[in-house]
Amino acid sequence: MKFTLSWLRDHLETTKSVDEICVALNSIGLEVESVEDPEKTLGAFRIARILTVAQHPNADRLQVCQVNAGEGFENVQVVCGAPNARAGLVTIFAPVGTYVPGSDITLKAGKIRGEQSNGMMCSTEELGLGEKQDGIMELPEEAPVGTAYVDFAKLNDPVIEIAITPNRGDALSIRNIARDLAAAGMGTLKPWNPEVIEGTSPSEITWDNQFTEACPWVLGRTITNVKNGPSPEWLQARLRAVGVRPISLLVDITNFFTFGLGRPLHVFDVDKVTGKTLTICPGQGEKLIALDGKEYQVTDKDCVIADQSGVQSLAGLIGGEHTGVTEETTTVFIECALFNPVTIALSGRRHFIATDARQRFERGVDQALLPDAMEAATQMILDLCGGKPSEVVVAGEEPKWQRDATLRYNSLENFGGLVVAPERVTEILTSLGFEVKDLNSQAVTVSVPSWRNDIVMPMNMAQHSSIDAGKADQLTIIAQAMEGEIDLIEEVLRIEGLDCVPAVSLPVIKAVPEAALTSSQENSILCARLLAARGLVETVGFSFVDHEIAARLGDAPENLRLLNPISSDMDQLRPTPLASLLPTLQRNIVRGWGNIAFFEVGPAFTQDAEKTVAAGVRYGYMPRNIQGKAQEVTLWDVKADVYFALDGLGVAVDSLQITKETPIYYHPGRSGRLSLGPKNTLAYFGELHPSLVKEFGFDQAPMIFEIMVDNLIAKKAQKKKIPYLSSFQPLKRDFAFVVKSDVEVGKILNAAKQADRQLLTNVELFDVYVGEKIAEDHKSVAIQVTLQPQDRSLKDEEIEVISQKIIKEVGRLTGGTLR
């Protein structure tokens, strides 16, 4: 919200400086975001007259000018390249030492092509006040030489911008800002009581309100014989200062009240309205060309204003181009309406319309201001445009906005931490517009003003169905009373000064604070560190991805699709972080990065829940080894990544089961699933599906993995024992089994482990062979087992017994035979 100091002083009698006002605004909760004071930045620029002009002896496009800029600068030499520089021209002069904001330079005395130059003659662009010009500024002949340009142009009016929280819709009005400042001791609020203007005739236009849920109350008035045209300079200057482009008198007057009183208005050109009635109703799919030149198709959830020919306005948002006023307009109809904030907010989002009117209506405007605003706007139109007003026509009625709130004095200290005298409490509340209804030594009850929609807001409590209806109503009343008291405490505290509230430490709930991170968060952080230790680079991506990519990497249901995405390729909540990693991999390959190892620990979304997944991708070659060779990445590399991370996370990796059931985006024959038991899936690893490799345009298949962080089950805490180190040398034996091609290697390894749980300390795969001397649909799987004697060396007979057990178990569980 922007406003100028002079505009604020229209409502606030004050002698305070801009700095003092800004300090007060921050103190009462209206945070100052910026202050633009042209007098500080442009105060050095002076009005000057060019006395003489001579051609520069060493440059065809430069001229040497003698300039009179008033006392102390009666005859200054300036080298100028402007084509319109001529003797007698009155322009803007910047002396040496002036900072020029449009050029971002500070002027210094010096020579230009051998001629001395002691300043600069400027355009409005160089002052940062206008667009690019072909020459220097040309001022009227009678402009007073030597006067500061900001005083001549009336730019010495500081502009203050404050941040508005969503609940403070009343602060989108300069008058209500002035009211808050007056309550904070910054001055006195000036009275504002517009006189009632009697209509000279019935209104040519009347209202038909068919949508009272969206518009409970609307006023209107016709004014004939008006003369539209450019606004006076003072009005244009104020609108420009707050970022509004002046258009015409009638439109500028509506904008004046939008900012001054927080009361949006709209004017229709009566001669362009078909029929004698404007109807407020839901839309029916009609199309409207709005004042911004865009076409909108309204829905039955939008509130519109229509005449007999169709929709002429998206109510509360933007007017229609067809009935907009122009310089030829002679008869206008003023619309002053109260709209439902939710209806306006939803329509604005639906059609992507952001206007000053929407900003105020969706936060709630003064519900009782309509008659006074109509009279004030009528008077301003009559003063500036002339004309004859009609009677005011009304549809609907003023809503029952009246409500009370009670503040117990001791609650200020209990909840607000500040002791305030009862007399001061009453003074603050009355200065803010609250009226005292009941007062005693314990509490004060006040009526809430019509412009404070944030105080004691109506409540819809979601109470349990088991609560009796009468009890539920009683609880709602109690909750609303508590809400009202808290609102009043906030009002007293912010006006008294939030800086006055003493700092108090939060109470200590426990002597030893609880952990700041949950076990799941700790697992996510540790998992990221472990993967980084494996040489993978962490990425952080959006949880939104392209719908088509999400569909290829799992389920992409419509209820996880965004209605209002930040871009068209980020419209779906991702089913896996791989949906973010694969496009990232693709972009890096295009930019010439060949060997890539990325991972991300982040959310993945399903129909039922959100889960945390650590996903990774490897592409290209692994780092070169000591022999100088670099091997192309394989699924064994990502399997090693997964095992390393799971082991570091406390998973008993020896107990993991490996199966081939993987999601559809993994290669069906070159991937695996790691689980604890049949149901608890901990990870997937393998090669990307060939169809996706082709779709993304990869030259080789990326290797991918996913670790389900939420499914991790850490090892049970055990007392540490002294490790037992056998004094006997371990014994290794190799076995090669011929099994059917569909037998999983993991089953062979598990079968071998079961042969002897005590002596067998390790079983690992070292070869898989398919080819000559192996039957069709079969394969040879070679494993190495490690036997660790405990109390004595093993005899050949004992080794043979264990070997036969291994052969027997593998044969029994997998059907394999010794090769």
Side-chain angles (χ1 to χ4, degrees):
M1 172 66 182
K2 287 185 175 183
F3 57 91
T4 64
L5 182 61
S6 64
W7 205 341
L8 177 69
R9 285 175 172 164
D10 282 353
H11 298 277
L12 182 69
E13 189 72 47
T14 183
T15 58
K16 301 294 184 180
S17 67
V18 174
D19 292 340
E20 290 174 311
I21 289 173
C22 289
V23 170
L25 287 170
N26 285 323
S27 177
I28 63 178
L30 300 177
E31 181 184 358
V32 177
E33 293 195 315
S34 66
V35 178
E36 299 173 14
D37 192 349
E39 191 167 14
K40 291 183 178 179
T41 57
L42 304 177
F45 292 88
R46 308 162 67 94
I47 297 176
R49 186 188 304 277
I50 301 177
L51 302 175
T52 62
V53 174
Q55 180 64 45
H56 194 293
N58 303 317
D60 294 338
R61 297 186 178 182
L62 297 179
Q63 300 179 86
V64 180
C65 306
Q66 300 299 321
V67 177
N68 176 19
E71 186 177 352
F73 302 92
E74 289 83 358
N75 194 356
V76 181
Q77 180 168 303
V78 178
V79 176
C80 180
N84 62 333
R86 61 187 183 273
L89 176 66
V90 180
T91 186
I92 304 170
F93 170 73
V96 171
T98 302
Y99 173 73
V100 183
S103 304
D104 193 24
I105 59 173
T106 299
L107 297 179
K108 297 180 180 179
K111 291 185 178 181
I112 301 178
R113 293 289 186 92
E115 292 293 326
Q116 186 69 29
S117 183
N118 297 310
M120 178 180 182
M121 291 181 288
C122 308
S123 65
T124 53
E125 178 196 10
E126 287 156 334
L127 271 64
L129 299 176
E131 298 179 354
K132 186 175 182 180
Q133 297 176 331
D134 292 333
I136 56 178
M137 183 67 173
E138 297 191 16
L139 299 178
E141 178 71 21
E142 63 275 9
V145 172
T147 302
Y149 176 69
V150 290
D151 293 334
F152 171 76
K154 297 182 180 179
L155 296 174
N156 50 357
D157 195 4
V159 179
I160 303 171
E161 183 174 10
I162 60 174
I164 303 297
T165 53
N167 64 314
R168 288 299 307 275
D170 62 295
L172 290 168
S173 154
I174 295 173
R175 180 163 183 81
N176 284 328
I177 295 171
R179 190 191 313 275
D180 275 11
L181 287 170
M186 288 292 104
T188 305
L189 185 69
K190 294 181 179 180
W192 182 76
N193 297 300
E195 296 182 2
V196 176
I197 299 173
E198 298 295 337
T200 58
S201 62
S203 176
E204 295 184 28
I205 304 293
T206 58
W207 290 113
D208 179 15
N209 191 355
Q210 301 177 6
F211 200 0
T212 54
E213 297 87 353
C215 180
W217 193 24
V218 60
L219 279 62
R221 164 177 266 164
T222 303
I223 303 180
T224 59
N225 299 328
V226 299
K227 184 178 181 181
N228 198 15
S231 298
E233 182 57 35
W234 69 267
L235 179 54
Q236 292 192 38
R238 284 193 173 178
L239 294 180
R240 288 194 196 97
V242 298
V244 177
R245 179 175 61 89
I247 297 174
S248 67
L249 253 175
L250 290 168
V251 176
D252 293 350
I253 288 171
T254 64
N255 287 328
F256 176 82
F257 283 96
T258 297
F259 282 83
L261 298 179
R263 164 33 61 185
L265 302 169
H266 184 63
V267 286
F268 295 88
D269 188 328
V270 172
D271 295 331
K272 299 176 182 177
V273 175
T274 304
K276 299 297 182 181
T277 302
L278 286 174
T279 302
I280 300 174
C281 59
Q284 297 180 358
E286 303 96 330
K287 293 183 179 180
L288 167 72
I289 304 296
L291 290 170
D292 59 3
K294 298 179 181 178
E295 183 179 80
Y296 300 95
Q297 185 167 6
V298 300
T299 72
D300 58 358
K301 295 181 176 61
D302 296 318
C303 180
V304 303
I305 299 176
D307 62 7
Q308 290 183 3
S309 65
V311 174
Q312 301 301 335
S313 173
L314 254 170
L317 293 173
I318 193 168
E321 186 178 73
H322 175 67
T323 54
V325 296
T326 64
E327 291 190 359
E328 288 74 36
T329 298
T330 58
T331 304
V332 297
F333 181 73
I334 310 172
E335 167 212 324
C336 184
L338 181 65
F339 295 109
N340 183 298
V342 176
T343 302
I344 298 302
L346 293 177
S347 291
R349 295 177 191 175
R350 190 178 300 118
H351 298 288
F352 304 101
I353 297 175
T355 58
D356 293 320
R358 173 192 166 182
Q359 187 183 29
R360 286 155 177 80
F361 279 128
E362 69 182 2
R363 285 168 171 79
V365 297
D366 189 336
Q367 300 181 69
L369 185 63
L370 276 66
D372 284 346
M374 174 62 75
E375 301 300 341
T378 301
Q379 187 63 61
M380 192 169 183
I381 291 175
L382 296 179
D383 291 342
L384 299 179
C385 305
K388 295 182 179 180
S390 74
E391 299 171 349
V392 176
V393 291
V394 182
E397 58 183 10
E398 181 178 344
K400 303 297 183 183
W401 54 267
Q402 294 82 356
R403 56 202 186 278
D404 299 335
T406 299
L407 171 60
R408 295 166 294 177
Y409 300 129
N410 61 358
S411 295
L412 268 168
E413 182 177 3
N414 294 337
F415 294 107
L418 191 66
V419 178
V420 183
E423 297 79 11
R424 176 60 179 157
V425 171
T426 305
E427 178 187 353
I428 290 174
L429 293 178
T430 53
S431 64
L432 289 172
F434 297 86
E435 294 184 4
V436 177
K437 297 190 69 175
D438 187 27
L439 181 65
N440 56 51
S441 61
Q442 303 297 320
V444 59
T445 299
V446 295
S447 60
V448 180
S450 57
W451 56 84
R452 291 305 300 269
N453 294 290
D454 59 315
I455 306 292
V456 199
M457 290 289 288
M459 279 189 180
N460 292 317
M461 295 182 63
Q463 303 191 46
H464 197 273
S465 57
S466 62
I467 300 177
D468 178 73
K471 185 70 172 178
D473 292 341
Q474 185 180 5
L475 290 173
T476 301
I477 294 172
I478 293 172
Q480 193 153 350
M482 294 172 60
E483 182 78 14
E485 183 173 55
I486 297 299
D487 290 337
L488 294 182
I489 290 173
E490 181 182 353
E491 293 301 296
V492 174
L493 290 180
R494 71 184 185 88
I495 298 301
E496 191 69 4
L498 296 176
D499 295 338
C500 298
V501 179
V504 179
S505 299
L506 290 172
V508 178
I509 299 175
K510 294 183 179 179
V512 179
E514 296 181 355
L517 299 175
T518 65
S519 59
S520 177
Q521 291 171 325
E522 289 177 343
N523 284 339
S524 298
I525 295 170
L526 179 56
C527 186
R529 290 177 177 176
L530 291 166
L531 292 174
R534 284 285 297 172
L536 287 88
V537 177
E538 185 174 13
T539 68
V540 180
F542 286 107
S543 295
F544 312 124
V545 297
D546 185 88
H547 175 77
E548 298 301 325
I549 293 177
R552 298 288 283 117
L553 293 171
D555 194 17
E558 285 298 319
N559 64 339
L560 294 182
R561 196 166 184 177
L562 277 67
L563 296 177
N564 185 22
I566 58 178
S567 66
S568 60
D569 59 346
M570 300 176 70
D571 61 345
Q572 182 77 38
L573 285 171
R574 65 187 185 188
T576 167
L578 288 172
S580 301
L581 286 174
L582 290 175
T584 302
L585 172 65
Q586 186 184 43
R587 289 192 294 271
N588 278 269
I589 292 172
V590 169
R591 287 163 175 78
W593 293 97
N595 302 323
I596 297 171
F598 288 155
F599 80 91
E600 179 181 348
V601 182
F605 301 88
T606 65
Q607 292 252 32
D608 304 319
E610 174 186 342
K611 55 187 179 181
T612 302
V613 176
V617 56
R618 285 189 180 272
Y619 180 89
Y621 290 83
M622 295 292 289
R624 289 189 296 177
N625 56 33
I626 195 169
Q627 298 176 341
K629 297 179 181 179
Q631 301 293 332
E632 189 173 301
V633 295
T634 67
L635 66 90
W636 310 115
D637 297 315
V638 291
K639 180 184 178 184
D641 294 334
V642 172
Y643 266 84
F644 181 83
L646 292 178
D647 184 58
L649 288 163
V651 176
V653 292
D654 292 339
S655 303
L656 291 176
Q657 297 179 8
I658 305 178
T659 57
K660 61 182 180 181
E661 293 85 10
T662 54
I664 58 172
Y665 43 89
Y666 284 86
H667 192 296
R670 300 174 187 170
S671 58
R673 167 181 174 261
L674 296 175
S675 61
L676 282 174
K679 295 183 178 180
N680 187 19
T681 300
L682 294 188
Y684 299 107
F685 67 91
E687 185 178 308
L688 186 65
H689 196 283
S691 63
L692 287 172
V693 174
K694 182 179 179 181
E695 187 173 319
F696 279 98
F698 296 131
D699 292 334
Q700 72 179 69
M703 302 300 155
I704 58 176
F705 67 83
E706 295 167 281
I707 299 173
M708 312 305 161
V709 178
D710 295 337
N711 295 349
L712 295 177
I713 300 176
K715 294 178 181 176
K716 292 183 179 179
Q718 297 179 348
K719 291 183 179 180
K720 291 186 178 181
K721 298 179 180 179
I722 298 175
Y724 173 75
L725 299 176
S726 176
S727 58
F728 298 94
Q729 186 173 351
L731 179 69
K732 297 182 184 291
R733 286 288 184 269
D734 296 342
F735 298 84
F737 296 97
V738 177
V739 296
K740 290 185 178 181
S741 299
D742 60 352
V743 175
E744 298 174 5
V745 172
K747 288 185 176 181
I748 300 173
L749 298 176
N750 290 331
K753 290 177 183 178
Q754 295 183 24
D756 193 313
R757 294 287 186 180
Q758 291 185 346
L759 294 177
L760 277 172
T761 58
N762 187 45
V763 179
E764 60 185 21
L765 171 74
F766 70 86
D767 184 53
V768 177
Y769 172 73
V770 177
E772 188 178 351
K773 296 184 180 181
I774 300 297
E776 188 177 354
D777 296 332
H778 284 68
K779 61 184 176 183
S780 172
V781 178
I783 64 175
Q784 183 181 79
V785 300
T786 302
L787 301 174
Q788 178 62 63
Q790 301 297 320
D791 55 0
R792 57 187 173 82
S793 296
L794 296 175
K795 297 180 181 181
D796 290 343
E797 295 81 5
E798 292 173 317
I799 297 173
E800 181 61 26
V801 170
I802 297 173
S803 298
Q804 290 301 320
K805 284 183 179 180
I806 293 172
I807 296 170
K808 182 179 177 180
E809 285 298 312
V810 171
R812 182 175 68 85
L813 295 175
T814 68
T817 59
L818 191 65
R819 182 179 173 187

